[in-house]
Amino acid sequence: MARWEPGARERLVVAAVDLFTEQGYDATTVAQIAERAGVTKSTFFRHFPDKRELLVAGQETLSRLLTEGIAEAPADASPLEAVAAGLERASSAMGPMSRELAPRLKAAVAASAELQERDALKSVSLAAAMTNALTARGTPDPIAALAGELGVLAFKRGYAQWSEADRDDKDELAVHTLAALNELRAASTSLG
């Protein structure tokens, strides 16, 4: 097994998603994931504390990109315009591998209560990151919280549409997340 090959983290994620899909989350061991990825168990643990964390491998980066986009939005941007800037920045980091893994990841999460719980925690964390970034811009707490929640919902809806779209659809993720945010903005006006 290769010990220091580049791309080990990405290979571990792909191997885990494949194994979760093939045999279920509970039946998959860290040893199997490491073997499938062509690395040692100790390499696995250098990258992830446990197999559950594989699902949120890019969460810190995603949170950082969302908050950077929000912070760098023009000073006169509305809270949702700032969220759109964050979504655009974060979406730019999602490439073909993310799109290819999405349906398998969705199936693995749907089949495991533990993974559903971890996915929900990821959403809460992303909403909190956006809320904090908006508050730092001077947005009042309730507005920042609502905009942060809408941002997460838009990201999830846009990601689902992007990953399920025909592979001939060359639109990048940002097109889908921004469209989802606009749909949610329009829908919110009918809440009355």
Side-chain angles (χ1 to χ4, degrees), residues 2-15 36-39 43 47-48 97:
R3 190 178 156 135
W4 294 104
E5 277 189 48
R9 185 175 179 87
E10 292 79 12
R11 288 196 322 275
L12 284 164
V13 171
V14 172
R36 174 81 60 101
V39 300
T43 298
H47 292 282
F48 302 101
M97 185 178 102

Side-chain angles (χ1 to χ4, degrees), residues 108-167:
V109 169
S112 169
E114 187 174 348
L115 295 182
Q116 290 170 19
E117 178 183 314
R118 188 64 187 103
D119 190 53
L121 290 173
K122 176 183 174 182
S123 295
V124 169
S125 176
L126 293 175
M130 285 192 274
T131 299
N132 291 338
L134 289 164
T135 302
R137 289 175 57 88
T139 305
D141 285 335
I143 295 169
L146 181 57
E149 292 291 340
L150 283 173
V152 169
L153 189 54
F155 184 82
K156 289 177 89 167
R157 289 172 60 97
Y159 185 81
Q161 291 167 355
W162 176 66
S163 65
E164 294 166 6
D166 186 305
R167 293 300 176 232

